[in-house]
């Protein structure tokens, strides 16, 4: 049975299959390989995923959710039509859609997947991603770091058998920079660094804010629906600047038509802060890798936002090296995940490739802070960027005379104080009462490629060992809860893929109706009603023609706004 590779993105998701030793991106019912990671609940309770849902962000904000990957691994929930959903449940709808598209494409059932996650994802986020897979009826064979997947794809596509890469993955909401070696058929990640809150969305916001300052409007106090419209126009303007040197953002609101003209040069000036943050991420990755830029053979652009000319220009200036684009940057991670899924299936062509992974964060335990006993200090055991699987040992002792019990806290993160890191768990153990410094405790951490951490604490005095396999208890569902939730989610059906083009045009019409005002709004309403009547009365062939006509009419209406 086939295993699929999935890039579950903040903004867009893709699914890739490995067929006849070749990877192929699976098109969705609209014929596109990028499916927006947007979920909308319809009036009848069915679930819309992708481009139609994206239109509904504006027309039905109370029923639609986007960018939920940002909240993976937290307890934050989203209420859609009065129903509460966790980020992993929303993600499971996207995965269900991708699974369905791949099944229709391959003509067989699929139950296993390799899913990519940002290298900076912590354990909570990784577990949440696995759970999303389970909720969608997919066994997650492995989570693969997005830069690992990108490196795998890049090396395959360029057919460069050897080299050191700096992979610059800049998506909608996250930036990952990694240093990757490819030698002797081994792809090894040397260092990763990232920012979970830096992406193309930030450019959209900078443009939207600039528009507001130019026109004495308040961005921060704008109502959500208006803000969504402005951000959409800002994104269009940003995309135009990728293919043209100048773009105009025109917005008709409050009875006035306002506009903002941008060039790539003005955009670069507006985004200095974004570039500064990017620079920090790049420097950390290079520093952790112990490499200089001269030792890097290729700077590889990955992610939709790295298509922007200002990014290539910035990288070239900052690194003094010309970055390269291999294939389409927003498809590279999915291709890598598909290749890896192929490896999992032992396809012969890619059988002999070894992919190593690294632990992107530090794992450690707490030690007493004698100057402030309430704030224990982090003692690192497995340091960030260690190659996985990794097994490391730390030696510790009792903290005061005649101590009879110890609690070994287990933490993840880079901060000095444990309270600022993520607590993964604790091991409780009784020890023999002896003078301070006499107990010999050996703490062994073993961390595998699937993000499972095993901690073993041994007291040499008592010859006693306590072992624990760690899960993120407070956020994880038990087996029974998971089963129950899978059952509950079954009542949400994905909308059928039939007539999806018509649905998209109808959703667009509704979105335009809620955005526009006056005569243009009425015109949008008229086209919408006309199309609805056509769909109700006509044959499939005639409907297809009407959909095209309505699309052209909406295009014209949107054009006339500019
Ligand atoms: P993610 O990995 O977060 O799901 P993607 O790699 O699909 O995201 O990138 C999405 C981002 O790329 C969005 O912010 C989008 O605006 C931006 N993007 C996509 N195409 C272009 C383009 N041609 N020019 C500029 N930005 C683009
Ligand atoms: Mg991505």
């Amino acid at each position: 049975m086939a295993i699929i590779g999935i890039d579950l993105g903040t903004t867009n998701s893709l699914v890739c299959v490995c067929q006849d030793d070749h990877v192929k991106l699976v098109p969705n019912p609209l014929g596109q390989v990028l499916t927006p990671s947007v979920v909308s609940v319809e009036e009848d309770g069915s679930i819309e995923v992708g481009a139609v849902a994206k239109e509904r962000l504006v027309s039905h904000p109370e029923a639609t959710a986007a960018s939920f990957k940002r909240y993976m691994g937290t307890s934050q929930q989203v209420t859609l039509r009065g129903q509460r959903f966790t980020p992993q449940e929303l993600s499971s709808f996207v995965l269900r859609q991708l699974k369905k598209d791949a099944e229709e494409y391959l003509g067989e059932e699929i139950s296993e997947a390799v899913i990519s996650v940002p290298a900076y994802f912590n354990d909570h986020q990784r577990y949440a991603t696995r759970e999303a897979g389970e909720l969608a009826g997919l066994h997650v064979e492995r989570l693969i770091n997005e830069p690992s997947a990108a490196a795998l794809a890049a090396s395959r596509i360029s057919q460069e058998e050897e080299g050191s890469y700096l992979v610059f993955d800049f998506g909608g909401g996250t930036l990952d920079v990694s240093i990757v070696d490819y030698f002797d058929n081994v792809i090894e990640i040397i260092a990763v660094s990232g920012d979970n809150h830096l992406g193309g969305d930030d450019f959209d916001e900078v443009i939207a804010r600039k528009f507001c300052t130019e026109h004495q409007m308040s961005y921060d106090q704008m109502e959500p629906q208006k803000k969504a419209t402005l951000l959409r126009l800002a994104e269009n303007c940003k995309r135009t600047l990728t293919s043209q040197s100048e773009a105009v953002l025109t917005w008709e609101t409050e009875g006035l038509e306002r506009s903002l003209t941008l060039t790539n040069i003005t955009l670069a000036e507006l985004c200095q802060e974004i570039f500064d943050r990017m620079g920090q991420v790049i420097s950390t990755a290079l520093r952790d890798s112990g490499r200089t830029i001269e030792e890097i053979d290729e700077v590889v652009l990955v992610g939709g936002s790295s298509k922007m000319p200002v990014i290539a220009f910035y990288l070239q200036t900052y690194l003094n090296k010309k970055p390269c684009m291999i294939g389409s940057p927003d498809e590279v991670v999915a291709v890598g995940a598909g290749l890896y899924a192929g490896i999992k299936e032992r396809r012969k062509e890619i059988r002999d490739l070894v992919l190593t992974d690294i632990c992107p964060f530090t794992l450690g335990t707490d030690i007493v802070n004698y100057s402030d006993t309430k704030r224990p200090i982090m003692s690192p055991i497995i340091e960030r960027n260690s190659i996985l699987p990794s097994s490391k040992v730390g030696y510790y002792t009792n903290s005061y005379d005649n101590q009879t019990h110890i609690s070994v806290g287990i933490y993840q993160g880079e901060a000095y104080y444990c309270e600022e890191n993520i607590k993964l768990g604790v091991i409780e153990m009784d020890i023999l009462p002896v003078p301070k410094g006499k107990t010999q405790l050996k703490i062994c951490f073993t961390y595998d490629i699937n993000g499972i951490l095993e901690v073993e604490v041994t007291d040499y005095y008592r010859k006693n060992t306590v072992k624990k396999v760690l899960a993120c208890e407070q956020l994880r569902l038990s087996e029974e809860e998971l089963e129950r939730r899978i059952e509950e989610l079954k009542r949400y059906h994905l909308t059928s893929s039939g007539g999806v083009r018509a649905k998209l045009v109808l959703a667009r019409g509704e979105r335009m109706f809620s955005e526009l005002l006056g005569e243009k709004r009425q015109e949008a309403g008229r086209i919408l009603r006309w199309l609805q009547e056509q769909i109700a009365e006509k044959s499939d062939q005639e409907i297809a023609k009407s959909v095209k006509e309505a699309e052209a009419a909406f295009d014209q209406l949107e054009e006339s706004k500019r």
Side-chain angles (χ1 to χ4, degrees):
M1 198 188 285
I3 309 179
I4 49 177
I6 292 176
D7 172 4
L8 183 60
T10 313
T11 323
N12 293 302
S13 296
L14 302 90
V15 54
C16 186
V17 296
C18 198
Q19 247 184 344
D20 306 324
D21 293 340
H22 289 290
V23 286
K24 186 99 181 57
L25 291 166
V26 176
N28 60 26
L30 285 166
Q32 294 149 353
V33 294
L34 264 73
T35 297
S37 307
V38 186
V39 168
S40 188
V41 182
E42 295 266 12
E43 287 72 6
D44 63 0
S46 58
I47 302 286
E48 198 68 68
V49 173
V52 175
K54 193 174 170 186
E55 293 286 6
R56 288 169 59 88
L57 263 180
V58 175
S59 58
H60 299 79
E62 74 302 333
T64 313
S67 295
F68 33 83
K69 183 174 170 182
R70 280 192 187 275
Y71 307 111
M72 285 294 259
T74 71
S75 52
Q76 188 160 338
Q77 300 203 351
V78 181
T79 305
L80 302 180
R81 274 188 204 286
Q83 276 287 329
R84 285 162 73 82
F85 295 98
T86 63
Q88 50 269 48
E89 286 167 354
L90 293 170
S91 303
S92 82
F93 292 133
V94 177
L95 292 173
R96 247 210 256 177
Q97 181 69 53
L98 298 175
K99 173 177 184 271
K100 185 173 150 205
D101 292 346
E103 282 173 343
E104 277 167 19
Y105 181 81
L106 288 176
E108 63 176 290
E109 244 184 70
I110 290 160
S111 60
E112 282 183 285
V114 170
I115 303 179
S116 62
V117 289
Y120 238 53
F121 256 23
N122 62 34
D123 273 7
H124 293 319
Q125 294 163 308
R126 284 166 199 262
Y127 275 116
T129 306
R130 280 184 176 275
E131 208 173 274
E134 303 293 334
L135 290 170
L138 281 171
H139 169 68
V140 182
E141 178 58 42
R142 181 171 173 180
L143 296 177
I144 177 172
N145 284 328
E146 285 165 11
S148 311
L152 180 52
S155 62
R156 283 279 138 177
I157 295 170
S158 70
Q159 300 207 319
E160 282 294 336
E161 288 298 306
E162 293 203 335
S164 288
Y165 301 89
L166 184 151
V167 178
F168 183 88
D169 182 353
F170 195 35
T174 53
L175 169 68
D176 279 296
V177 176
S178 48
I179 311 297
V180 186
D181 272 359
Y182 185 23
F183 288 110
D184 295 334
N185 249 5
V186 177
I187 295 186
E188 189 169 310
I189 309 268
I190 307 298
V192 296
S193 177
D195 190 329
N196 265 345
H197 290 273
L198 188 64
D201 296 349
D202 296 279
F203 283 90
D204 305 344
E205 193 182 315
V206 164
I207 296 172
R209 282 185 185 277
K210 173 70 177 166
F211 183 90
C212 289
T213 356
E214 290 282 298
H215 298 288
Q216 285 88 42
M217 298 166 87
S218 165
Y219 179 80
D220 291 313
Q221 279 157 24
M222 197 176 282
E223 13 167 318
Q225 195 168 357
K226 276 181 125 183
K227 203 183 253 184
T229 305
L230 178 57
L231 284 171
R232 200 176 51 77
L233 295 172
E235 192 197 345
N236 285 345
C237 173
K238 174 187 78 176
R239 282 173 182 259
T240 306
L241 285 175
T242 296
S243 47
Q244 291 170 26
S245 57
E246 192 180 282
V248 186
L249 191 175
T250 305
W251 190 24
E252 196 183 306
T253 177
E254 295 157 8
L256 273 177
E257 195 175 272
R258 301 175 165 103
S259 68
L260 171 75
T261 305
L262 280 183
T263 62
N264 277 307
I265 295 169
T266 42
L267 180 65
E269 282 164 6
L270 289 174
C271 299
Q272 268 315 313
E273 200 195 311
I274 298 178
F275 293 129
D276 289 345
R277 287 169 67 189
M278 251 177 217
Q280 281 170 16
V281 175
I282 297 172
S283 316
T284 308
L286 277 171
R287 195 188 57 224
D288 283 0
S289 73
R291 301 274 167 88
T292 61
I293 189 65
E294 290 73 37
E295 293 168 286
I296 303 290
D297 297 310
E298 208 78 84
V299 175
V300 184
L301 294 174
V302 178
S305 300
S306 66
K307 293 186 206 166
M308 295 171 70
V310 290
I311 297 296
F313 184 76
Y314 164 77
L315 288 174
Q316 174 146 17
T317 319
Y318 186 78
L319 295 169
N320 201 14
K321 196 175 215 88
K322 193 173 156 53
C324 71
M325 208 180 270
I326 298 168
S328 184
D330 40 14
E331 296 172 1
V332 179
V333 169
V335 169
L339 279 166
Y340 194 77
I343 293 176
K344 280 282 163 194
E345 282 187 85
R346 298 249 167 270
R347 300 279 167 154
K348 65 178 183 312
E349 190 224 349
I350 41 189
R351 184 166 40 202
D352 42 2
L353 186 71
V354 181
L355 181 67
T356 70
D357 244 331
I358 60 166
C359 174
F361 32 69
T362 299
L363 295 163
T365 185
D366 48 355
I367 51 174
V368 178
N369 174 2
Y370 288 102
S371 59
D372 183 357
T373 47
K374 287 201 198 73
R375 304 184 79 196
I377 294 166
M378 174 87 168
S379 167
I381 294 181
I382 293 182
E383 293 221 88
R384 73 161 180 274
N385 290 330
S386 303
I387 297 207
L388 298 182
S390 173
S391 195
K392 293 266 166 62
V393 173
Y395 293 93
Y396 299 87
T397 185
N398 52 346
S399 334
Y400 52 89
D401 290 342
N402 297 323
Q403 187 176 349
T404 55
H405 185 86
I406 50 156
S407 296
V408 178
I410 299 144
Y411 291 86
Q412 172 188 309
E414 312 305 321
Y416 177 68
Y417 292 111
C418 287
E419 65 191 24
E420 290 162 17
N421 291 323
I422 294 172
K423 187 168 189 173
L424 298 176
V426 67
I427 292 186
E428 304 285 351
M429 189 181 206
D430 288 331
I431 53 172
L432 284 184
V434 291
K436 177 181 165 191
K438 285 286 177 207
T439 310
Q440 280 189 335
L441 287 176
K442 178 177 144 191
I443 303 183
C444 179
F445 276 31
T446 305
Y447 195 68
D448 75 7
I449 53 166
N450 293 315
I452 306 290
L453 175 66
E454 199 180 272
V455 177
E456 202 179 86
V457 182
T458 306
D459 172 4
Y460 275 115
Y461 243 112
R462 270 191 117 174
K463 307 250 175 305
N464 182 20
T465 298
V466 180
K467 194 153 122 180
K468 200 163 185 175
V469 175
L470 281 168
C472 308
E473 282 113 7
Q474 72 272 40
L475 288 170
R476 282 190 82 196
L477 296 180
S478 66
E479 279 290 312
E480 300 86 68
E481 279 169 328
L482 189 65
E483 285 302 317
R484 191 176 54 82
R485 209 48 198 144
I486 290 175
E487 276 311 305
E488 276 175 18
L489 289 180
K490 276 191 186 150
R491 74 189 163 93
Y492 293 100
H493 290 284
L494 295 180
T495 55
S496 84
S497 49
V500 64
R501 170 82 42 201
K503 231 184 315 179
L504 179 62
V505 177
L506 288 173
R508 179 179 175 196
E510 281 188 54
R511 188 256 297 159
M512 288 175 66
F513 185 83
S514 48
E515 272 180 0
L516 296 170
L517 289 172
E519 178 47 37
K520 283 178 181 165
R521 175 177 216 168
Q522 297 202 6
E523 177 61 15
R526 271 195 294 273
I527 304 170
L528 197 53
R529 275 192 304 280
W530 173 79
L531 181 59
Q532 277 164 337
E533 281 163 18
Q534 299 288 307
I535 291 171
E537 291 164 10
K538 299 284 166 65
S539 70
D540 284 355
Q541 209 177 1
E542 283 168 313
I543 291 173
K545 211 170 131 237
S546 305
V547 166
K548 275 208 182 110
E549 267 174 53
E551 215 171 359
F554 284 138
D555 279 347
Q556 209 179 10
L557 198 57
E558 255 181 338
E559 274 306 310
S560 69
K561 267 199 322 176
R562 296 218 176 99

